[in-house]
Every structure is written in structure tokens, then in C-alpha cells.
Amino acid sequence: MPLLFLACCTTALFAQSRPETTPTELPGAETLLYRETEESPMRLFVVKPTGWQAGDRRPALIFFFGGGWTTGTPASSIFWAKFAAGLGLVGIAPDYRTKGRHDVPPMGSVADSRAAVRWVQDHAAELGVDPRRIVVGGNSAGGHVALWTGITHAPPGSREAESPLIKPAALILFSTVSDTSAETGYTPQRFGEHTTALSPVHQLDAQMPPVLAFHGDTDKTVPLRQAVALRDKLIATGNVCELHIVPGGGHNFGNDVPEWQEKSRELMIAFLRRHGLVP
């Protein structure tokens, strides 16, 4: 399914030539409001699996789109919400503020991602979700904000009152930005004085959720060394990180190496099964 993979994993890390449209509804999904901001209301899009009933306590996958905190909308990440629903999970594709649509820096994107996970946890009963079996994923900058939902303390720009109540059950990361520090990070100028304070690899808790990560070895946007450094730090501190390096894969590795479209999904399902996160 190359077009589906392209829709979910293509990340333009620069401003598009024409303004993006913020979706207020997406086919096959229920639209819910999770946060009001000065710029606009923040929505998330929920896809329920066949057989869903009120009172269910199902696992869920929350997946954040990429785009360098500048572009992107849930119109791309809804693919993963539907993929999750096909496995029997509740699939959720949240929106978050970006530079292009809302003129906010990355700290606003991080704040929204943490608030979205907290909202899902607070409303787990009505969503038919088990709050202790929520998986969070993302690609590129979406992986960056996903990582921040697994870190306990609120970073600059985020509120403690909107922090996740408990850590995600697992994190799934594609071509992820994990280092934004001034010394070794990706586009630190976007983070002002908070380069290290908003760099996940520098802020990891002693205990992190198990991580499944994918990264191309020819990624010229977010270099492979970021994924390797994240894996090495997690493993050195006794955490679980399964990193799959895609030979010949760039930032959108599914386009460069098409067989990894299906292979990454198979590895993802196996990972979720091992951790008891597929019904």
C-alpha cells in the first residue's frame, strides 16, 4: 500500500508554498475537542474498531503526524488510527499547533501532545480505552512530541496540570527527532534558549516505556546517530528499545525501500503482541 504509507510517513520539514487547512472532520473518524488554545481549538480524531462497545477497556494507539513542528495535520496520521482500529485498538490522531498554521514554536507542539494524552486518559471510560494500555507513536517531529508524553516532568511551555497521569504503555517512533540540543541536535535554533530542556534524549526518566523505533541509515534530515544515541541511552539505563535500521532508507524510508512498508507494520504488530497491547 505505497500511497497509504506515503500519506502517513511523508514529512515536509519546511513550509509549504500554500497554507494548510486545519481539518475539523476526517472520514471514518469521530471529532472531539481536547484543548482550547489562544490560536484555535485543538481536536483529535477517534477511530473505533469493529465491535466497539461502551464500557470496553481496549488498548489504544495515539499517533502524532510529522512536519518539523511547522507543517502537517492529522489528515496524514489518521492512517495509523485506522490501522490501529483494524487490530482491535481504539485509534486516535490528534492535532497539535504548528508554526505554519498557528505561528507557535515547537514548545507549543509539545504542550499540545502532552495535553492530548492526558485528555484521553481522563476520558478513557467514555472512549472504551484502558488508560494503562495506551501506546503513543509519531514520525519525525511527531516522534519528538510522542517521546515527551513518556517523560514525567513538564518541559518549558507545558503545564503540570496537563501532564499525562501515567506513562504510555509503549512508544513507536519513525525517523524521530530525539535530540534538539545546541551541540548535537536537529534545528536547535527553533528552540531558542530551551534547546536542551526540550531535547528528549537529554530529559529521559530513569524508567521509560518500551520503545520500538525505525530509522533509515541514509536519512539526511534526521541522522541515524540520533536513533542510535537514544537506543544506547535507553538500554544503558535498563529500559527497552528495539531499533530497526532500514538499509538504504532515507527520512521517508517506506518510499525509498518499499518492502519496509509492510515489514515495519509486521514488526509493529509483533511488538504490540509481545507487550500485550493487541486484543
Side-chain angles (χ1 to χ4, degrees):
M1 292 184 285
L3 292 179
L4 289 177
F5 194 91
L6 176 64
C8 73
C9 282
T10 297
T11 54
L13 298 182
F14 47 87
Q16 295 181 331
S17 58
R18 59 183 181 181
E20 290 180 301
T21 300
T22 298
T24 57
E25 58 183 21
L26 290 170
E30 179 182 357
T31 305
L32 298 171
L33 178 69
Y34 75 86
R35 192 182 195 214
E36 290 281 2
T37 70
E38 292 181 4
E39 293 78 18
S40 69
M42 289 292 106
R43 302 175 180 89
L44 47 78
F45 302 89
V46 179
V47 183
K48 293 172 179 173
T50 301
W52 180 94
Q53 299 181 47
D56 282 354
R57 287 178 61 84
R58 293 175 180 261
L61 172 66
I62 302 173
F63 200 93
F64 293 100
F65 60 87
W69 316 277
T70 300
T71 64
T73 77
S76 59
S77 53
I78 195 66
F79 167 87
W80 287 112
K82 292 178 178 180
F83 176 81
L87 298 176
L89 288 74
V90 175
I92 303 171
D95 200 0
Y96 61 82
R97 287 171 294 167
T98 62
K99 178 68 175 176
R101 288 184 290 131
H102 308 97
D103 195 26
V104 298
M107 68 172 61
S109 306
V110 172
D112 291 345
S113 70
R114 291 170 62 85
V117 172
R118 172 62 179 267
W119 190 92
V120 171
Q121 291 173 340
D122 286 341
H123 295 82
E126 63 198 70
L127 293 170
V129 166
D130 181 348
R132 296 192 175 275
R133 291 195 293 164
I134 295 174
V135 181
V136 180
N139 63 291
S140 194
H144 173 269
V145 301
L147 266 169
W148 267 109
T149 71
I151 297 170
T152 301
H153 74 273
S158 296
R159 298 174 56 231
E160 289 290 353
E162 292 180 313
S163 295
L165 290 169
I166 54 177
K167 290 180 180 293
L171 297 171
I172 298 178
L173 310 175
F174 291 86
S175 306
T176 287
V177 178
S178 55
D179 183 350
T180 61
S181 67
E183 297 76 19
T184 56
Y186 174 74
T187 63
Q189 69 274 13
R190 302 187 191 194
F191 293 81
E193 62 181 333
H194 303 301
T195 57
T196 301
L198 284 166
S199 179
V201 75
H202 293 85
Q203 303 295 332
L204 299 175
D205 292 343
Q207 184 173 357
M208 291 291 295
V211 171
L212 173 67
F214 300 90
H215 216 104
D217 66 359
T218 63
D219 191 335
K220 292 181 171 57
T221 303
V222 181
L224 175 61
R225 67 173 181 270
Q226 287 215 8
V228 172
L230 176 66
R231 178 199 62 190
D232 291 350
K233 187 167 184 178
L234 286 167
I235 291 175
T237 52
N239 290 288
V240 173
C241 182
E242 181 181 320
L243 172 61
H244 294 276
I245 299 172
V246 182
H251 195 58
N252 302 313
F253 62 79
N255 297 335
D256 304 321
V257 193
E259 59 266 30
W260 272 88
Q261 296 175 21
E262 191 61 34
K263 187 172 182 177
S264 62
R265 295 183 201 128
E266 292 171 354
L267 289 166
M268 181 174 168
I269 293 169
F271 175 83
L272 293 173
R273 283 196 176 126
R274 284 197 302 276
H275 292 280
L277 297 167
V278 173

